[in-house]
Amino acid sequence: MSQSSPVTAPAVDTVVSRMRALAAVLPERDGVAVFNRVYLTVTEEIDRRLGTGEFPDPRAAAALDVRFAERYLRAVEAAEADRRPPACWRPLFELRRHPGVRPLQFALAGVNAHIGHDLALAVVDACRAIGCEPVDLEDEFEHVGEILTALEERVREDLMPGPDLLQLADPLTHLLGAWSLERARDAAWAAARALWALRHCPDVAGEFAERLDAAVGFAGRMLLTPLAR
């Protein structure tokens, strides 16, 4: 593994600081703010575990974490500058203030965009940055996935609308059952491996990434279907 472009814990601290700055200025009920709070918690936990040596390869874990976070932050910057963010993020930015969309939907739509699209590209970004193959990041990928899974459970508990969710007639019940973080993680890993295999065919890789972006965006729009209260 080459030693070019090392990514260290201070770089993780930088993306944490940028997310905290967003949290300080976004209205609490804004859909992006809802996701940002979720993702900030994830990144702070990864930062903490990097500090305690829980990752097999801290340098690789930091590289993956930073490249992953930067894709979300670039999407936010694009939206703030009135540029088009990736298709996977557009539903969240377009519907962020819709009164018929519940906080849990905003959180899951953000997770869908970030895991379904950004994670695969972040694996490729990290491999290029530190000179490795996706297989060399598999342990770090799994550790990050475990943190995300634990957090998703907490998010569902914190943002559940209450006992009404148990009613099968509640549309949110069906939306929640239609999306799985575990399936999204598996698909992201497969997509990362495919993109890496296609790295010497930029036209094909670009088309693959574009179609992935569109498909994840479509799923996000379904997750953000406004629901009657």
Side-chain angles (χ1 to χ4, degrees), residues 30-194:
D30 180 282
V32 177
V34 173
F35 171 73
N36 190 74
R37 287 194 294 272
V38 170
Y39 192 33
L40 176 57
T41 301
V42 170
T43 310
E44 288 174 333
E45 179 64 15
I46 292 172
D47 196 17
R48 184 191 70 77
R49 296 192 186 196
L50 282 167
T52 58
E54 294 184 35
F55 283 94
D57 184 341
R59 178 170 169 267
L64 177 58
D65 187 44
V66 170
R67 265 62 187 193
F68 191 30
E70 284 175 342
R71 286 195 168 270
Y72 158 62
L73 292 167
R74 284 201 296 270
V76 172
E77 290 169 356
E80 289 177 344
D82 291 326
R83 302 193 310 271
R84 282 168 67 83
C88 61
W89 285 106
R90 284 176 213 154
L92 180 59
F93 288 114
E94 291 168 5
L95 295 167
R96 62 194 293 179
R97 298 181 183 88
H98 197 295
V101 179
R102 304 184 193 179
L104 181 56
Q105 292 175 263
F106 288 132
L108 291 183
V111 173
N112 169 70
H114 206 36
I115 302 296
H117 173 264
D118 294 354
L119 184 54
L121 275 67
V123 170
V124 174
D125 292 342
C127 287
R128 287 176 171 154
I130 62 177
C132 70
E133 301 272 335
V135 67
D136 299 316
L137 289 179
E138 189 166 7
D139 286 345
E140 285 65 39
F141 183 94
E142 290 301 324
H143 274 68
V144 171
E146 290 167 7
I147 295 170
L148 289 166
T149 298
L151 183 74
E152 189 210 16
E153 293 172 358
R154 190 189 317 167
V155 166
R156 288 179 184 250
E157 290 174 1
D158 291 347
L159 297 180
M160 285 293 189
D164 289 345
L165 185 66
L166 300 177
Q167 298 177 6
L168 292 178
D170 189 333
L172 185 55
T173 304
H174 300 284
L175 279 179
L176 292 179
W179 188 85
S180 162
L181 177 59
E182 183 176 359
R183 289 197 298 269
R185 281 174 50 201
D186 289 346
W189 182 247
R193 293 179 62 193

Side-chain angles (χ1 to χ4, degrees), residues 8-20 43 47 65-66:
T8 59
V12 179
D13 292 341
T14 297
V15 294
V16 167
S17 295
R18 291 170 67 187
M19 284 184 232
R20 287 175 178 163
T43 310
D47 196 17
D65 187 44
V66 170

